[in-house]
Amino acid sequence: RDELFLGCVDKAPYPVMIHDADGRIELINRVWAELTGFGPGDVATVDEWKAKVVPASRREVPLDGSECEIRTRWGTFLNWSFSYLPYGRFADGRAVTMLCAVDTTARRRAERARQDNADRFSALAEVSPIGIVIAREGTVLYCNGAAERLLGLPPRLSSGLLSAEWLQTLSEGAAAALVPVFGSGARRAGPFPVDAEPIRWVEAVAKTVEAAAGDMEVITLLDATDRVLAEERERARRETLIQTEKLASLGILVAGVAHEINNPNYTISINADIIADAWRSVSPIVERELSGTPNDLVGGMEWGEARTQIPLLLSGIAAA
C-alpha cells in the first residue's frame, strides 16, 4: 500500500514532497526534482532542503500556506506557494505529511513585468510635455502633471474621480469640449480655450486601448496655443493683404476712370477756346443778318437771348 501510494505521488504532475513528523524526507517526486535540481539522494530532511534553496530570512517560517522564492541547483530562482496535506501513517506507524507546491513563477514574473511597465510608464508620463488622461468604465484612473497644468487642475486631484466629477472641475469651455471624448462620441476635440491668463488653447485626441482588466480610454492633450495664435496671425495677415489688394484695385479703377474722363474734358476744353474764337468772328455777321428779327432762333434760343448766353456757355466750358 505504501509503495503504491508513493508511486502515484512520484508521477503527480505537480511538485510533492513526503516526509514524516521528524522532517525526514521519504519522497521527492520527479516534478519537484526536475524543477529544483534536488532529488531524493541530495537531501535527507526538510531542514537540509530549506538550507539549500530557501533564503536564510525565510528558513524559520513554516512552509505551510506561505509563498517564497527558492534557489535551484543551477542558480536560477522560482516562486513556489506551499501547502501541507496530512495523509495518515506509514505501515511502521510514522505520520505521513505531503508538502505540495504550486509553481507561481510565471505569475509572479508577469506581475513584476506589469509593475515594471507601470513604473516605466508612470516615470515617462510624468516628464512628458504631452498631457495624458486614462479612464475606464466612467472613472479617471490617471492624470499626469502635464494634463493638470494644461487644464489648470490642482496636483493629484484627478485619480479616482468619476469622469463626470472630473469634468466638473474643468473650465466650462474645456468640459464642454471633452464630454464627447469621454463618452466615446468623438475621437478628437478642439482646439478649445482654457480659462487662464494668458488664454491657452488645448487639443485632445482619444484612443481606446485594450487591456486585460478592461478597455481604457487614453486621452492625450496637446498645447495648441502657438499653432492657434500663428493661425490667427496668418488669418489677420491674409485679411490685411486682401484689403490692401482691394484698395490697390480700387485705386487703379479710379485712376482709369479719371483718365477716361480727363481725355474728353481736355478735348472739350481746347475746342471750347476754338469755338469761342469762332463765335466772336461769327456773331457780328449774325447780328447784322438778324438785327431786325431778334426773335429768330439760333441753337434753339431767340437771337436776343443767344447773343449774351452763348459767350457765357463757352466761357463756362473753357473754365471747367
Side-chain angles (χ1 to χ4, degrees):
R1 178 175 173 271
D2 292 344
E3 292 180 0
L4 178 61
F5 165 67
L6 294 175
C8 291
V9 172
D10 191 43
K11 296 178 181 178
Y14 47 86
V16 180
M17 175 191 289
I18 295 178
H19 62 82
D20 63 15
D22 296 326
R24 292 192 301 271
I25 296 173
E26 189 71 25
L27 172 71
I28 293 177
N29 77 343
R30 294 177 185 179
V31 174
W32 189 299
E34 289 172 357
L35 292 176
T36 64
F38 296 103
D42 297 313
V43 288
T45 67
V46 174
D47 288 339
E48 287 183 22
W49 181 83
K50 290 172 70 174
K52 291 180 178 293
V53 302
V54 178
S57 60
R58 297 294 304 273
R59 289 173 190 167
E60 301 303 322
V61 178
L63 291 175
D64 188 24
S66 68
E67 181 176 348
C68 69
E69 187 176 65
I70 63 173
R71 189 175 188 273
T72 69
R73 179 187 291 274
W74 309 285
T76 58
F77 290 90
L78 300 173
N79 276 92
W80 279 12
S81 176
F82 296 95
S83 60
Y84 275 117
L85 178 62
Y87 175 73
R89 293 182 179 275
F90 287 119
D92 58 9
R94 289 180 298 146
V96 180
T97 300
M98 295 177 60
L99 179 60
C100 304
V102 176
D103 191 345
T104 59
T105 306
R107 177 170 60 83
R108 286 298 183 187
R109 287 174 179 171
E111 290 174 354
R112 283 196 293 268
R114 284 195 295 270
Q115 186 60 48
D116 290 344
N117 289 337
D119 292 342
R120 283 194 291 268
F121 168 79
S122 181
L124 291 173
E126 284 305 315
V127 299
S128 171
I130 299 174
I132 301 173
V133 180
I134 301 175
R136 176 192 288 139
E137 297 179 352
T139 301
V140 175
L141 303 180
Y142 177 78
C143 179
N144 73 341
E148 292 169 342
R149 290 189 294 273
L150 286 173
L151 298 175
L153 296 175
R156 310 304 175 190
L157 169 70
S158 305
S159 297
L161 286 179
L162 295 176
S163 300
E165 295 174 341
W166 185 78
L167 289 168
Q168 290 176 2
T169 65
L170 307 181
S171 65
E172 183 177 350
L178 289 176
V179 163
V181 173
F182 274 85
S184 299
R187 298 290 84 188
R188 185 179 294 271
F192 54 85
V194 177
D195 293 338
E197 290 295 339
I199 193 167
R200 185 165 50 245
W201 292 85
V202 176
E203 187 171 24
V205 179
K207 182 176 179 60
T208 301
V209 177
E210 295 181 357
D215 291 351
M216 300 183 298
E217 287 296 320
V218 179
I219 298 101
T220 55
L221 302 168
L222 305 175
D223 189 341
T225 305
D226 291 343
R227 193 189 78 207
V228 171
L229 295 180
E231 290 174 352
E232 290 180 350
R233 289 193 295 269
E234 179 62 20
R235 190 180 304 110
R237 188 189 68 81
R238 286 198 301 269
E239 291 177 356
T240 300
L241 182 60
I242 291 172
Q243 293 299 323
T244 301
E245 291 177 348
K246 286 181 179 179
L247 291 175
S249 299
L250 181 60
I252 294 171
L253 177 62
V254 170
V257 171
H259 177 73
E260 293 300 323
I261 292 174
N262 285 335
N263 281 343
N265 282 346
Y266 180 72
T267 301
I268 292 171
S269 176
I270 293 176
N271 292 336
D273 292 337
I274 296 173
I275 295 172
D277 290 340
W279 172 254
R280 284 191 291 272
S281 300
V282 170
S283 60
I285 299 172
V286 177
E287 177 66 27
R288 286 196 303 271
E289 293 295 327
L290 300 178
S291 58
T293 57
N295 294 328
D296 285 352
L297 297 178
V298 176
M301 292 185 292
E302 294 181 353
W303 171 244
E305 182 182 2
R307 69 161 60 97
T308 58
Q309 290 299 319
I310 288 176
L312 294 176
L313 292 174
L314 291 172
S315 63
I317 295 171

